[in-house]
Amino acid sequence: MCGIVGYIGNNNAKDVLLEGLKRLEYRGYDSAGIAVRCDSSLVEIVKSEGKIDNLVKKISSLNINGTKGIGHSRWSTHGKPSEINAHPHHSDDYNVVGVHNGIIENYQELKEKLLRHDYSFYSETDTEVLIKLIDYYYKKYNIGPVDAINKAIVRSRGSFALALMFKDYSDQIWFAKKGSPLIIAKGEGESFLASDVPALLSYTNKVYYVDDFECGSISKNEIKFYDLNGDDITDTKKLVSIDWEADSVNKGIYPYYMIKEIHEQPEAIKETINAYLDKNNNIDFLHIGISEKYLKSLDEIYIYACGSAYHVGLVGAQIIENITGINARVELASEFKYRNYHMNPNALAIIISQSGETKDTYEALLKCKESNIKTLAICNVKGSTITRDADFTALTYAGPEIAVATTKAYSCQLVVLYLFSIALAFSKGQIDISRYRSLIEDISTIPQKIESILNNESTIQSLAQRLVNKKDVFFIGRGIDYALSMEASLKLKEISYIHSDSYAAGELKHGTLSLIDESVMVIAILTQPDLFEKMVSNIVEVKSRGGKVISLTTDNFNVQVKSDYNITIPTINPLFTPSLSIIPLQLLAYYTSIGKGIDPDKPKNLAKSVTVE
Ligand code: F6R
């Protein structure tokens, strides 16, 4: 969803804004623009359709000098991607210029009100309406930016992170937030705002998180926060240190973020495992507030998440049920709001999110809170909205994930759930100390086993050639492999645009087999010893209908004779095979995307952090 940046200081604002927008491009990339205040009366606005590079090219031929400005990269909601709909937007006299991430749901009603007051509109966007509404209140009541912003906020339904410039306040940039993420940072004689940390990491790692219904201003030497009453609340705000390296947002030696992030997995998983093991190699969730006694008291687990994070939940729930003796229920966060099942007061709800900002997931968290169910967030972004509102937070240590398709965050979420399940099983007396130790030992081997898979990357790269021209690919598996296959299928479809679906292998005969013919590739995942023979039968079913099969199995099994192509992964405890199986399948998706000439970091129509419903 859109990215916004703001800068005020002594440097050329356009350079800081463009760099920030490049860093935020993963949030949206159908158009972009900046507004730079060149002097107290002149604001230059430059916009272009397409990726940020188009904007950079356009700006390079213009002479824009100013030390204050705001910028935006867009993922369109209201109004098609076009230069006119791109932000920044402005009131007709440029009294208010602004950028916005979010959606104003009642914009039509607000627009009609403004039309009655002689405002006219040049774009199809809800943002233009919001900017003009602020301008309307500012002028009508002559009340200054804070009160004008607050009045407009009260009238608007939906979500927003806003950065604004007012003609009469040329030494400040104003901001406001509800629902969409926004951070503020202070440097030496300069201040910044952005949707997300990567935009600012090369300048500072100390940020303020803006809370809902707060607004404020940044100037060269001062940051101010106000509440909805217009009261100054600056003293109540806390500066948060982000422990990500500035370098971690660069591609380094890699052509794309996605392949860099795939290769970062062994290290990221190691760091994440270490964060939850104490010096005696015992699992430690106490440092995040979860005691053994509390774990013992739980008699059900709920898991809520979207997309890949939901797929982590599907794997995790099976492990929980396998070893802890209690039930786990996994639900798409976007569907949970429509469900009305009885919630067990002794349950813990696990909320999984890389960004910590996904709206559907956040709403699932709020619904749990309303039902008095304790929540544990498994999240990659410290200080994000979900981590701030959850009862407990288990951070993943994947570092910033920039590619739209998640890889390393997915893998880190998996290991946190493994460790959590083992701690839960042990505290409930479902596993003894020797099983506890051996499970931890198995998890500790994951990073090195992933390394060995990555060392064979070229095999997968060649195999990807078999997929490039396919129209349909099916992933099949049973049990944990089925849960894993859903993630593998999502990876392939989102970055290669090949239609792909995942099926429980036992379901093929209930309908899907009719789709199988010579043109179809089936990727069969069979890492579970007790399900192996059944899976082999499913492969035979596919082969006998002419389908081509790539099988993926651990190196202690051999299905080469039954399939057309074979991928092997190192043997590991069957509970943890998803951590290994996903690696070649991420690579397969990546190289298929590359083979089709697609930019895997920025698949069309998608954005990384989904802050709308
Ligand atoms: C797919 C992908 C998405 C996210 C989903 C949830 O590769 O990345 O499916 O998993 O949008 O995002 P978070 O984890 O940020 O809540």
Side-chain angles (χ1 to χ4, degrees):
M1 307 288 108
C2 315
I4 68 174
V5 281
Y7 174 75
I8 185 156
N10 297 314
N11 292 316
N12 199 330
K14 86 171 179 232
D15 298 333
V16 182
L17 297 175
L18 289 175
E19 189 192 329
L21 289 181
K22 286 289 291 172
R23 303 267 182 230
L24 291 181
E25 204 173 9
Y26 62 87
R27 297 183 63 87
Y29 33 81
D30 62 39
S31 50
I34 61 169
V36 173
R37 184 168 287 289
C38 299
D39 62 43
S40 55
S41 58
L42 176 67
V43 172
E44 287 273 13
I45 297 179
V46 189
K47 316 194 228 185
S48 78
E49 206 183 321
K51 296 190 175 166
I52 309 287
D53 282 340
N54 298 356
L55 181 69
V56 173
K57 261 190 224 125
K58 189 165 178 182
I59 288 177
S60 65
S61 62
L62 303 170
N63 191 16
I64 295 181
N65 290 310
T67 56
K68 303 147 201 167
I70 53 181
H72 187 269
S73 89
R74 181 165 186 249
W75 186 86
S76 50
T77 53
H78 293 77
K80 61 181 184 300
S82 68
E83 199 168 308
I84 195 101
N85 287 332
H87 302 209
H89 288 287
H90 57 86
S91 58
D92 294 343
D93 56 359
Y94 291 80
N95 178 44
V96 186
V97 178
V99 292
H100 163 222
N101 168 27
I103 287 185
I104 304 302
E105 287 161 4
N106 59 335
Y107 82 107
Q108 203 56 47
E109 163 200 328
L110 298 172
K111 191 171 184 173
E112 278 154 24
K113 169 189 167 73
L114 291 168
L115 285 167
R116 288 196 297 276
H117 289 89
D118 296 331
Y119 278 83
S120 59
F121 293 87
Y122 56 83
S123 77
E124 301 160 85
T125 66
D126 51 345
T127 304
E128 188 191 348
V129 176
L130 183 58
I131 303 288
K132 290 185 172 171
L133 187 69
I134 294 169
D135 178 67
Y136 167 76
Y137 285 126
Y138 181 85
K139 288 175 180 153
K140 178 169 179 195
Y141 297 109
N142 196 15
I143 46 180
V146 171
D147 290 326
I149 293 169
N150 279 341
K151 273 195 183 305
I153 285 177
V154 170
R155 288 296 307 270
S156 310
R157 280 200 309 277
S159 60
F160 47 82
L162 271 177
L164 303 161
M165 295 197 288
F166 286 79
K167 197 193 272 173
D168 302 337
Y169 293 81
S170 60
D171 288 331
Q172 280 137 317
I173 292 171
W174 298 81
F175 60 83
K177 169 187 178 320
K178 183 196 151 201
S180 306
L182 184 62
I183 55 169
I184 306 290
K186 176 95 201 68
E188 279 298 309
E190 55 187 359
S191 301
F192 308 83
L193 62 81
S195 298
D196 207 351
V197 174
L200 304 184
L201 263 190
S202 47
Y203 303 100
T204 176
N205 67 342
K206 295 216 167 33
V207 302
Y208 293 99
Y209 285 91
V210 185
D211 285 311
D212 281 353
F213 298 110
E214 288 178 356
C215 68
S217 65
I218 60 172
S219 61
K220 266 164 65 168
N221 296 310
E222 197 176 40
I223 294 174
K224 289 289 210 185
F225 288 88
Y226 302 91
D227 65 14
L228 208 49
N229 297 319
D231 292 333
D232 188 333
I233 53 161
T234 312
D235 288 349
T236 66
K237 299 297 292 183
K238 286 200 178 62
L239 206 55
V240 178
S241 284
I242 306 291
D243 23 284
W244 288 348
E245 303 288 328
D247 233 20
S248 58
V249 290
N250 296 323
K251 284 187 210 146
I253 57 166
Y254 295 96
Y256 291 100
Y257 282 110
M258 184 172 175
I259 190 70
K260 173 180 181 247
E261 290 164 6
I262 289 174
H263 278 267
E264 282 172 346
Q265 290 179 106
E267 223 19 70
I269 292 171
K270 218 182 285 170
E271 273 214 39
T272 303
I273 294 172
N274 288 342
Y276 298 97
L277 290 182
D278 67 14
K279 57 182 186 327
N280 300 317
N281 260 4
N282 289 320
I283 300 171
D284 172 17
F285 280 97
L286 191 57
H287 71 284
I288 61 158
I290 296 184
S291 65
E292 257 190 73
K293 189 170 162 222
Y294 175 66
L295 287 174
K296 201 171 174 183
S297 74
L298 294 173
D299 52 33
E300 196 168 356
I301 299 291
Y302 300 126
I303 303 177
Y304 303 113
C306 294
S308 298
Y310 166 71
H311 299 152
V312 170
L314 291 174
V315 173
Q318 296 204 36
I319 296 176
I320 289 169
E321 291 185 347
N322 272 336
I323 65 173
T324 69
I326 65 172
N327 287 340
R329 177 171 187 152
V330 198
E331 199 97 57
L332 283 165
S334 55
E335 284 292 310
F336 175 49
K337 60 185 129 205
Y338 311 120
R339 303 299 299 267
N340 281 314
Y341 50 83
H342 164 76
M343 294 196 77
N344 182 339
N346 290 329
L348 172 71
I350 301 180
I351 310 290
I352 309 174
S353 175
Q354 186 283 130
S355 61
E357 302 293 348
T358 302
K359 188 149 194 286
D360 290 320
T361 310
Y362 180 58
E363 285 185 353
L365 173 109
L366 295 181
K367 182 165 166 178
C368 292
K369 283 173 88 82
E370 275 162 25
S371 312
N372 288 321
I373 303 293
K374 286 249 182 296
T375 51
L376 161 65
I378 297 180
C379 193
N380 196 42
V381 182
K382 182 176 167 186
S384 56
T385 306
I386 287 175
T387 64
R388 280 180 285 152
D389 279 354
D391 295 293
F392 314 106
T393 295
L395 287 175
T396 46
Y397 292 85
E401 193 179 61
I402 311 283
V404 164
T406 183
T407 51
K408 59 179 181 168
Y410 169 88
S411 290
C412 290
Q413 290 160 356
L414 273 182
V415 294
V416 173
L417 261 190
Y418 297 161
L419 291 166
F420 176 83
S421 312
I422 298 168
L424 183 60
F426 190 56
S427 68
K428 290 192 151 291
Q430 294 284 326
I431 53 173
D432 62 14
I433 186 75
S434 77
R435 178 119 199 262
Y436 173 79
R437 292 246 160 270
S438 89
L439 287 170
I440 295 173
E441 185 50 38
D442 288 335
I443 291 177
S444 308
T445 66
I446 292 172
Q448 167 243 320
K449 288 179 174 166
I450 292 180
E451 291 279 10
S452 75
I453 299 170
L454 291 171
N455 288 339
N456 275 323
E457 189 172 341
S458 54
T459 323
I460 308 293
Q461 189 169 359
S462 329
L463 194 54
Q465 295 316 311
R466 310 280 161 202
L467 293 189
V468 178
N469 295 319
K470 290 283 170 208
K471 288 220 161 15
D472 300 293
V473 175
F474 294 119
F475 288 79
I476 57 169
R478 287 172 182 256
I480 282 179
D481 286 338
Y482 170 48
L484 176 277
S485 78
M486 293 174 91
E487 173 59 9
S489 169
L490 178 64
K491 268 317 65 105
L492 182 70
K493 79 179 106 183
E494 70 183 323
I495 62 168
S496 75
Y497 313 154
I498 293 173
H499 163 254
S500 115
D501 253 320
S502 152
Y503 284 96
E507 283 294 296
L508 278 183
K509 57 185 175 297
H510 296 293
T512 314
L513 265 183
S514 64
L515 293 173
I516 305 295
D517 61 26
E518 301 72 30
S519 68
V520 171
M521 181 68 87
V522 173
I523 303 186
I525 298 148
L526 49 169
T527 68
Q528 304 297 305
D530 51 336
L531 301 173
F532 190 78
E533 284 180 1
K534 284 197 169 62
M535 279 300 298
V536 172
S537 306
N538 295 131
I539 291 176
V540 174
E541 276 165 19
V542 170
K543 290 289 302 163
S544 56
R545 269 99 187 154
K548 293 266 175 294
V549 175
I550 299 177
S551 57
L552 185 154
T553 186
T554 46
D555 54 17
N556 54 342
F557 287 113
N558 189 341
V559 280
Q560 273 172 22
V561 283
K562 305 278 187 219
S563 32
D564 298 279
Y565 313 98
N566 187 240
I567 301 170
T568 53
I569 54 165
T571 305
I572 192 167
N573 186 316
L575 290 176
F576 308 133
T577 55
S579 288
L580 305 188
S581 311
I582 195 59
I583 308 298
L585 299 174
Q586 291 169 344
L587 288 169
L588 198 62
Y590 172 80
Y591 282 111
T592 307
S593 170
I594 296 290
K596 293 186 73 174
I598 294 168
D599 176 346
D601 285 347
K602 301 186 198 99
K604 66 172 190 247
N605 305 338
L606 297 179
K608 187 140 187 91
S609 186
V610 187
T611 49
V612 295
E613 269 179 78

